[in-house]
Amino acid sequence: MPCQGEGGITWRHRRGSITAIISPLPNVKVLMERSHPVTIVDVAERAGVSPGTVSNVLTGKRPVAESTRQRVQRAVEELGYQPNLLARSLVNRSSNTLGVVAYGLEYYGPSRTLVGIERQAAELGYSLLLDLLHRPDDQDVDAVLAELTARRVDGIIWAVHEVGDNHAWIDETRLHSLPPMIFLTMEQRPGAAIVATDNRAGARLATQHLIDAGRRTVGILTGPTSWWEVRERLAGWRNALEAAGLEASPALIAEADWTAAAGEAALKALLVRRPDIDAIFACNDQMALGALHCCLAAGRRVPHDIAIVGFDNTPESAFFWPALTTVRQHLAELGRLAVNELHRQIEAQQQGATLTPARHLLHPELIVRASSGGAG
Amino acid sequence: MPCQGEGGITWRHRRGSITAIISPLPNVKVLMERSHPVTIVDVAERAGVSPGTVSNVLTGKRPVAESTRQRVQRAVEELGYQPNLLARSLVNRSSNTLGVVAYGLEYYGPSRTLVGIERQAAELGYSLLLDLLHRPDDQDVDAVLAELTARRVDGIIWAVHEVGDNHAWIDETRLHSLPPMIFLTMEQRPGAAIVATDNRAGARLATQHLIDAGRRTVGILTGPTSWWEVRERLAGWRNALEAAGLEASPALIAEADWTAAAGEAALKALLVRRPDIDAIFACNDQMALGALHCCLAAGRRVPHDIAIVGFDNTPESAFFWPALTTVRQHLAELGRLAVNELHRQIEAQQQGATLTPARHLLHPELIVRASSGGAG
DNA sequence: CAATTTTCTTAAAACGTTTTAATCATAGTG
DNA sequence: CACTATGATTAAAACGTTTTAAGAAAATTG
């Protein structure tokens, strides 16, 4: 029978023992030279209780007498005990960790979204395991998913743009063997929760603004059409123009690769084909910058001869020359929402329920500046 | 004695059993309705060996007969077994994980660096645990460090700018209770390994370039001087000017907050004070953009009246008007180097050795474009 | 005051791996 | 053939937690 009180110790010492120097002053103890990280057993010994009781104090899941709680707390502090989350996760079958698979972190959108994800995750008590793809379309995705499940993440956020057929990577059966998962910017399909910006609405907003400003021949500068976002923005552009009875033909479309350099070149070629263009909707701010450059070089005044609208509202866009009218996405909010939704799914699953996967669409907003002539 | 061969099973079934449907076709087995994740014991049962042997096959750390290896491999595949890295980490006392503490991920530099970190980490087989600070200077850093050590990361990368006295957060005694750690962009001090861009050299490069172009009154547009990087760049600017016998007085310094907006305002004020300024070194590209804007608005021609050089070489900088001369850092390389160095420290520590902490300084390079008149 | 409930504690069994030391074949020696 | 190497395999003990079921002490009751 374990003896108690007076600091009696019944738990066996294992491995290197703790050398405690008890200073002459009462209640002041200095620990030195621990040869191994302190465990819950060490704390239990010092507090004269069982490991189970220490656990109860720490997790607060079950009642414990005030006096022993204090004794344990003091032992924890004196030893500088830090629980081993690996062990805890192992027995709990939950790591309090979310996996984030992302692409293009060096760009504005994804990094902003990641910040939102991290914040909300931290708020809900999750840690983040980060995996980056080097290309959106050709990578061994199985390896990263295997890695994440091997680490027993509670959920996965898929923040990779839908490009080409990469959405086929994770089919429904695959999804079945994975923890709860949420997709950012990916086309809706059964069994998967989604949080995304309404790209189509954003493009409509931009195009309608140009139409309202009296423009009649609105070209579009797109990213690669293998991207789902691009196809959505194209659709929005087409919608707005057709609704206004204006031309929305392929002849007005120039495809680039998201960069300012390519944007400049693509617009240059487009203007040769269609010198009558009096407005451009660029699918991101960088290509819009390239477009501004192109116009400047070609002697076309912005916005007098050509009005330009971008997409993203990067911080620099307000300082382009002229300042860029653009579409703002709520990127951090997107990330927060994704985490919240994922959290819901996780909790539901832990309680044995299954939620019907939600689908959130965030509405972008138009920021009017000089490049569209709209700022007056 | 455990019976072997013929698929004899000696390992007890625990929890929900595996229901295997053996199809009429030989060697084709379909598994259904597993009620629990498959463990190494399940694999062992199916292969008719002990868990220890399965472990030996999987880790390859000890020899195992070819025939049993194949039997185990097949069992692994048939069951779709995925090792539980939490359990493995627990017994190995190493999680194959690096903690990354970062700030300002929404900005160009940090996100680029993170990409470099992630790549090299993936290459070396580490997973990344990401923690973001919301501000560089006032946060409970203890909590994030505790979290990382609780998850038993093998090492920590500190990618937070040194601002104010935040370097005091992690003093040498604190460092002693942490896993190996490497600091990005932090002033050298004993006991800590460092990888950073040579900011001073970069600033010298930029300033010297302006001097060589015949400028005589070179102002500087800085970020907050509480940042270590800013103080370094200021020093480089001063070095170059003093070496050339030119003025480097406080009257030529304008402080802003890294944004284009503040850069524009700060330069405007500076030009009122010192209308004789004929060149500006801006401590990042965004403030340089603000500076361009300011000059444009004030009717000062760039580079004719004022030459401007930035810092960072953001992709957009080549498309500013005029195209921006700037200093390029090798940000991704910085991240890779940090991981490599940290990896060295980790390996050394695991072998009981201690490395003297290294200090890498990366040399930035000057990218000459139109804004300094240097492009011809 | 005996009987019963309530409140705290605890021993022991998980969780899913790896590792150590021991066992057991098998093959190689003299 | 007895003996020793050699190599493959295994039982059992870690790793550091939480949880379950049971037990002990204290508090409440009749």
Side-chain angles (χ1 to χ4, degrees), chain A residues 107-119:
Chain A
Y107 304 116
Y108 179 72
S111 61
R112 275 303 229 267
T113 304
L114 180 57
V115 170
I117 290 174
E118 204 275 346
R119 271 193 207 177

Side-chain angles (χ1 to χ4, degrees), chain A residues 15 37-38 82-87 89-90 93-97 104-108 111-112 114-115 118-119 122-123 125-134 142 145-147 149-152 174 260-262 264 286 289-290 293 296-297 315-323, chain B residues 15 37-38 82-87 89-90 93-97 104-108 111-112 114-115 118-119 122-123 125-134 142 145-147 149-152 174 260-262 264 286 289-290 293 296-297 315-323:
Chain A
R15 271 183 317 177
V38 16
Q82 287 203 319
N84 184 329
L85 289 193
L86 297 174
S89 300
L90 182 58
R93 285 194 174 70
S94 156
S95 60
N96 269 285
T97 295
L105 211 66
E106 55 270 60
Y107 304 116
Y108 179 72
S111 61
R112 275 303 229 267
L114 180 57
V115 170
E118 204 275 346
R119 271 193 207 177
E123 209 142 289
Y126 291 107
S127 286
L128 242 45
L129 222 38
L130 182 67
D131 264 303
L132 300 182
L133 302 189
H134 302 175
D142 286 345
L145 288 178
E147 148 91 20
T149 56
R151 291 201 186 269
R152 299 298 190 263
R174 185 71 207 265
E264 177 171 16
Q286 328 227 356
L289 177 59
H293 219 250
L296 220 46
E316 295 81 16
S317 63
F319 291 85
F320 292 170
W321 189 251
Chain B
R15 272 182 316 176
V38 16
Q82 288 203 320
N84 184 329
L85 288 193
L86 296 176
S89 301
L90 181 57
R93 286 193 174 71
S94 156
S95 60
N96 268 285
T97 295
L105 211 66
E106 55 270 61
Y107 303 117
Y108 180 71
S111 61
R112 276 302 230 264
L114 180 58
V115 170
E118 203 275 346
R119 269 189 211 181
E123 210 142 289
Y126 290 107
S127 285
L128 242 45
L129 221 38
L130 182 67
D131 263 303
L132 300 182
L133 301 189
H134 303 174
D142 286 345
L145 288 178
E147 149 89 20
T149 56
R151 291 199 187 271
R152 298 298 189 265
R174 185 72 207 264
E264 177 171 16
Q286 329 228 353
L289 178 58
H293 219 250
L296 220 46
E316 295 82 16
S317 63
F319 291 85
F320 291 170
W321 188 252

Side-chain angles (χ1 to χ4, degrees), chain B residues 205-223:
Chain B
L205 229 49
T207 311
Q208 190 62 48
H209 170 67
L210 291 168
I211 296 170
D212 291 347
R215 310 291 166 161
R216 285 300 166 259
T217 314
V218 182
I220 181 170
L221 202 46
T222 77

Side-chain angles (χ1 to χ4, degrees), chain B residues 112-113 116 182-186 194-205 228 232-233 311 327-341 358-366:
Chain B
R112 276 302 230 264
T113 304
I182 191 162
F183 293 87
L184 264 54
T185 71
M186 191 169 257
I194 289 182
V195 176
T197 295
D198 191 338
N199 283 281
R200 194 177 299 211
R204 244 181 340 237
L205 229 49
W228 175 73
E232 285 292 298
R233 290 174 198 178
F311 204 107
V327 177
R328 174 174 175 227
Q329 307 186 57
H330 300 85
L331 293 163
E333 186 58 23
L334 197 74
R336 301 193 86 113
L337 220 57
V339 172
N340 278 335
E341 177 59 27
R359 183 196 189 204
H360 294 278
L361 274 193
L362 261 60
H363 292 288
E365 68 188 294
L366 188 72

Side-chain angles (χ1 to χ4, degrees), chain B residues 270-285:
Chain B
L270 178 61
L271 288 181
V272 169
R273 279 204 319 270
R274 294 292 302 254
D276 59 320
I277 281 177
D278 60 3
I280 285 289
F281 165 47
C283 283
N284 76 353
D285 284 356

Side-chain angles (χ1 to χ4, degrees), chain A residues 19-32 46 74 77-79:
Chain A
T19 62
I21 298 180
I22 311 225
S23 81
L25 299 170
N27 293 329
V28 178
K29 299 173 184 76
V30 181
L31 297 176
M32 298 186 57
R46 175 167 262 254
R74 206 172 50 228
E77 281 158 25
E78 286 169 348
L79 294 177

